[in-house]
Amino acid sequence: MTQPGTATPMSKEMQDCVQACMSCHTICEETMSSCMQMGGQAQMQIMRALMDCSETTRMCADMLMRRSPLAAEMCGMCAKACDMGAEACMSMPDDKMMMRCAEACRHCAEMCRTMAGARM
C-alpha cells in the first residue's frame, strides 16, 4: 500500500496497525449502538470509554496512513484508550458483543504499543 506523495510503501506492521485500528473503531461503534439500546448508568460509563476508543483509533489510523510525525505518540495514546475500552467491556462478561469488542480493543492496543516504539 503506497500512500500518495510517498516513495515507499507502508510497512507490513503499519498496515496491520491501521487495520487493527479500523476494526476496533468499527466494533466500538457497533457496541455503542448496542449499549444505547440497553440503557442504564452502567452502559453510559462503558459508552464513554468506547467513544474515546472509537475516536482515537480512527484518528490513529488516519495519522499512520498519512505518516504524521506525531503518529508514534498517537499510537501510545491509542493503546491507552483501547486498554480502557477493553476494561469497560470486561465489566459485562456475559455479553458476547462486549467480549468481541474487548478482544478487538486488546488486539489494537497491542499493535499500537508496537508501533509507538517503532521508528516510522
Side-chain angles (χ1 to χ4, degrees):
M1 181 183 309
T2 302
Q3 296 302 306
T6 63
T8 58
M10 286 177 64
S11 70
K12 171 85 168 94
E13 292 79 15
M14 287 177 82
Q15 290 178 37
D16 290 347
C17 190
V18 167
Q19 183 59 48
C21 284
M22 294 310 297
S23 294
C24 188
H25 169 76
T26 299
I27 189 72
C28 283
E29 292 286 319
E30 291 170 2
T31 305
M32 283 190 288
S33 178
S34 177
C35 279
M36 287 173 63
Q37 293 173 0
M38 286 185 237
Q41 188 59 33
Q43 281 74 18
M44 290 307 295
Q45 291 174 346
I46 293 168
M47 283 185 62
R48 278 193 283 277
L50 293 180
M51 282 180 206
D52 286 348
C53 187
S54 174
E55 288 303 309
T56 305
T57 53
R58 183 193 52 76
M59 185 182 300
C60 188
D62 288 348
M63 291 177 87
L64 283 167
M65 287 190 289
R66 69 174 178 264
R67 308 259 174 73
S68 168
L70 300 173
E73 290 177 62
M74 187 66 214
C75 284
M77 183 187 299
C78 189
K80 289 179 186 177
C82 288
D83 285 339
M84 290 172 59
E87 187 176 317
C89 288
M90 293 304 291
S91 70
M92 295 184 70
D94 295 332
D95 187 297
K96 288 181 193 234
M97 172 72 92
M98 291 290 180
M99 292 303 96
R100 211 171 108 222
C101 187
E103 182 180 324
C105 289
R106 282 192 298 266
H107 176 67
C108 188
E110 212 176 285
M111 299 297 294
C112 284
R113 266 190 283 282
T114 299
M115 289 308 301
R119 271 183 80 111
M120 293 193 206

